[in-house]
Amino acid sequence: MANWKELSGEKNWESLLKPLNTNLRDYIKLYGKRVQVIYDSVNSEDKTRPAYAKEDLFSEAAIETGTFENLYTVTDYIFANSDVAPWFDWMVKDQYAWFGYVAVATDEGKRVMGRRDILICWRGTVSPAEWFKNAQFDQVSASEIFEKSQDPQVHKGFLSIYTSPSTEPSSSNLSARDQVMNAVKNLVNKPEYREEEISITVAGHSLGAALATLNATDIVTNQYNKRTGSKEACVVTAFVFASPKLDIVTDLPPSFISYKKVGMKLRIKSHKSALLNFIDGLQLHDIIPESHSLKEYLQGVTARQSQ
């Protein structure tokens, strides 16, 4: 893709959203499907773990074959800790679970995509402990990972999932943030890629959209998008689906808390098929989860091009 920088937001997607550019549509769906892989690959017996080894994720998961097949290889799995307040332990237990992965473009991927892309994908909420963290929408300082002079305030629950160290005896005790940053640092500085143009793309859905936003900002703020000893920074882009405040399910925190919306918005009608099903007898309480699903969003992206 010769115009990959434009598709990655170099010009804030100017003239590409209305109508939705065909190449950008495929680009968005590419990253959305890479997030969907996480949902499709959760272990049926232990939902906190992936069903497949890293090297088998894309070959075993339900990814459509075609132009964008075999473009990435997974290098690292991401696990995160949802620590619940002690007084809720009787009802909701702490949980350390698989949240996503880091991947890098293969040689074929580099040829098709126009650069060596490092991809980070985050899933949305699947457990009671994670719903508990979603509800912790009071603001806390994130100065430990962002600019201290500005003292940025972020969602308490999201930041906790991103930065809490593991309490699992069998784990490395690293937070999700540390796992991701170690993987990115290794890939950015990999000797084989030293002479190549690289990019970093972060994608997520729902809770994962919030984590992707924190992650992408963290990468840029702390210059993980620069090779060691270099002043040149690579492009970092976040593609987020059903992001908090922009979705029927994630329309929280409430308006009286001063959160700000960020980024460029592509509005789609993700509820369309659910509403059609409602005519055939689907109940109202079924519409909201269906409208929120990532698969529904990807269908909406396809339909959006013709609007």
Side-chain angles (χ1 to χ4, degrees):
M1 294 183 181
N3 65 333
W4 71 265
K5 288 185 179 179
E6 185 179 7
L7 297 176
S8 292
E10 183 180 44
K11 299 178 181 178
N12 282 332
W13 297 280
E14 182 180 346
S15 302
L16 297 179
L17 299 178
K18 294 183 179 180
L20 180 60
N21 176 272
T22 300
N23 290 333
L24 180 58
R25 177 205 64 187
D26 293 341
Y27 211 63
I28 293 170
K29 291 175 66 176
L30 163 68
Y31 293 120
K33 288 178 180 178
R34 286 329 189 255
V35 176
Q36 182 62 43
V37 164
I38 308 171
Y39 293 114
D40 294 339
S41 305
V42 171
N43 191 309
S44 59
E45 296 181 358
D46 181 358
K47 296 187 181 301
T48 67
R49 296 291 184 267
Y52 313 114
K54 296 190 294 289
E55 59 271 20
D56 300 324
L57 181 65
F58 293 145
S59 61
E60 294 288 347
I63 296 183
E64 296 177 10
T65 58
T67 306
F68 292 130
E69 188 68 10
N70 301 320
L71 299 189
Y72 292 89
T73 183
V74 176
T75 62
D76 298 86
Y77 275 160
I78 308 166
F79 292 82
N81 189 36
S82 299
D83 56 324
V84 179
W87 53 86
F88 280 99
D89 282 346
W90 64 274
M91 182 174 60
V92 180
K93 301 296 184 182
D94 292 357
Q95 188 170 69
Y96 182 72
W98 180 46
F99 259 78
Y101 62 85
V102 180
V104 65
T106 61
D107 289 343
E108 172 66 10
K110 178 191 171 187
R111 184 189 67 79
V112 173
M113 304 293 288
R115 82 284 190 192
R116 184 77 67 176
D117 189 39
I118 298 168
L119 174 62
I120 307 165
C121 288
W122 300 86
R123 66 157 171 81
T125 308
V126 298
S127 76
E130 292 157 19
W131 280 113
F132 178 88
K133 304 307 289 186
N134 289 343
Q136 291 183 318
F137 48 69
D138 47 317
Q139 294 179 338
V140 295
S141 173
S143 60
E144 288 188 12
I145 62 173
F146 297 137
E147 292 289 341
K148 291 181 172 58
S149 60
Q150 301 297 322
D151 191 28
Q153 303 289 303
V154 302
H155 184 289
K156 180 179 180 179
F158 299 159
L159 183 66
S160 174
I161 291 175
Y162 186 57
T163 61
S164 291
S166 165
T167 56
E168 290 281 308
S170 60
S171 73
S172 62
N173 294 323
L174 294 178
S175 66
R177 177 192 186 237
D178 290 339
Q179 294 166 48
V180 172
M181 293 312 193
N182 287 344
V184 169
K185 185 176 182 179
N186 288 337
L187 289 170
V188 167
N189 289 287
K190 195 170 183 179
E192 297 94 306
Y193 306 156
R194 293 290 296 184
E195 303 303 319
E196 298 181 352
E197 188 167 26
I198 62 173
S199 65
I200 300 174
T201 305
V202 192
H205 169 250
S206 191
L207 166 59
L211 296 174
T213 302
L214 285 173
N215 189 196
T217 307
D218 190 4
I219 289 170
V220 173
T221 300
N222 293 292
Q223 301 184 8
Y224 282 91
N225 58 330
K226 293 182 179 180
R227 293 184 172 100
T228 301
S230 175
K231 295 182 179 180
E232 184 176 350
C234 73
V235 173
V236 178
T237 306
F239 286 100
V240 295
F241 302 82
S243 187
K245 298 294 287 184
L246 298 174
D247 171 81
I248 191 170
V249 171
T250 53
D251 192 20
L252 290 172
S255 58
F256 62 82
I257 299 180
S258 57
Y259 283 97
K260 296 185 182 297
K261 297 177 182 179
V262 297
M264 298 294 294
K265 179 170 64 176
L266 174 65
R267 186 182 297 277
I268 61 172
K269 294 181 179 179
S270 66
H271 64 285
K272 184 175 181 180
S273 63
L275 290 178
L276 290 176
N277 289 335
F278 179 61
I279 297 173
D280 294 328
L282 189 70
Q283 299 300 309
L284 182 60
H285 60 76
D286 293 323
I287 292 180
I288 293 178
E290 284 298 312
S291 301
H292 183 66
S293 75
L294 180 53
K295 288 182 178 179
E296 192 78 18
Y297 268 82
L298 295 176
Q299 291 175 9
V301 171
T302 300
R304 180 66 174 79
Q305 186 190 17
S306 62
Q307 296 171 4

